[in-house]
């Protein structure tokens, strides 16, 4: 990610952290998985929106934690405390953005996948901040400026 960040145009290389680019790549993929699972659970299996959101979310965020820990933040700290902090962060994120924003938008008539995309934009900013400055704060990876 450091090499890619160096090639960013318009002086973005001075403000974009390699860990942000890694987060965007990893979480873009896991968000795609989240949407795929949501469509399967809601559209395919007919599960209620809150249940479909929840199951898809938990599976995607579990994968996100593993990939960000190993590949992006390159943490070697004990996994237990980090997993505990992550669990608290995803609970807050889940209540505020997934159920709060996502379900509220669906309740007012926004299509459930579009609701999830809007909620995803909110959660991305929150989760990156939490992962970089709280969960993996003591990681000395090359991508953590």
């Amino acid at each position: 990610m450091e090499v890619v960040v160096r090639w960013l145009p318009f002086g973005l290389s001075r403000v974009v952290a390699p860990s942000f680019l890694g987060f965007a790549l990893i979480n873009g993929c896991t968000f795609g998985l989240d949407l795929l699972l949501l469509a399967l659970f809601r559209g395919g299996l007919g599960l209620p929106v809150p249940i479909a959101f929840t199951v898809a979310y938990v599976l995607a965020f579990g994968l996100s934690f593993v990939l960000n820990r190993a590949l992006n933040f390159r943490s070697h700290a004990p996994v237990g405390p980090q997993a505990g902090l992550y669990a608290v962060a995803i609970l807050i994120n889940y209540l505020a953005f997934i159920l709060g924003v996502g379900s509220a938008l669906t309740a007012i008539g926004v299509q459930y996948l579009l609701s999830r995309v809007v909620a995803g934009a909110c959660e991305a900013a929150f989760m990156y901040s939490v992962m970089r400055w709280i969960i993996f704060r003591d990681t000395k990876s090359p991508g953590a400026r």
Side-chain angles (χ1 to χ4, degrees):
M1 292 297 105
E2 288 181 359
V3 172
V4 174
V5 166
R6 280 194 292 251
W7 287 92
L8 291 175
F10 312 116
L12 290 173
S13 62
R14 291 186 298 275
V15 295
V16 174
S19 64
F20 179 77
L21 190 58
F23 174 86
L25 181 63
I26 289 168
N27 283 63
C29 291
T30 58
F31 185 66
L33 174 65
D34 189 344
L35 291 177
L36 180 67
L37 291 172
L38 175 58
L40 172 69
F41 296 147
R42 174 68 180 150
L45 299 177
L47 294 176
V49 170
I51 293 172
F53 273 9
T54 301
V55 175
Y57 175 82
V58 168
L59 293 173
F61 264 82
L63 180 60
S64 171
F65 175 77
V66 170
L67 294 176
N68 271 295
R69 184 178 195 281
L71 301 176
N72 191 33
F73 294 98
R74 298 182 191 147
S75 178
H76 297 289
V79 71
Q82 288 178 339
L85 289 170
Y86 190 73
V88 170
I90 65 168
L91 177 63
I92 293 167
N93 183 58
Y94 173 77
L95 293 172
F97 302 115
I98 306 309
L99 285 185
V101 174
S103 292
L105 289 172
T106 302
I108 64 169
V110 177
Q111 199 269 348
Y112 69 92
L113 288 173
L114 181 57
S115 296
R116 183 63 185 92
V117 170
V118 172
C122 297
E123 76 178 287
F126 173 76
M127 287 305 297
Y128 175 72
S129 299
V130 169
M131 291 175 89
R132 181 169 181 193
W133 290 296
I134 297 174
I135 297 169
F136 301 116
R137 70 183 171 277
D138 55 2
T139 302
K140 304 295 185 229
S141 75
R145 282 190 191 165

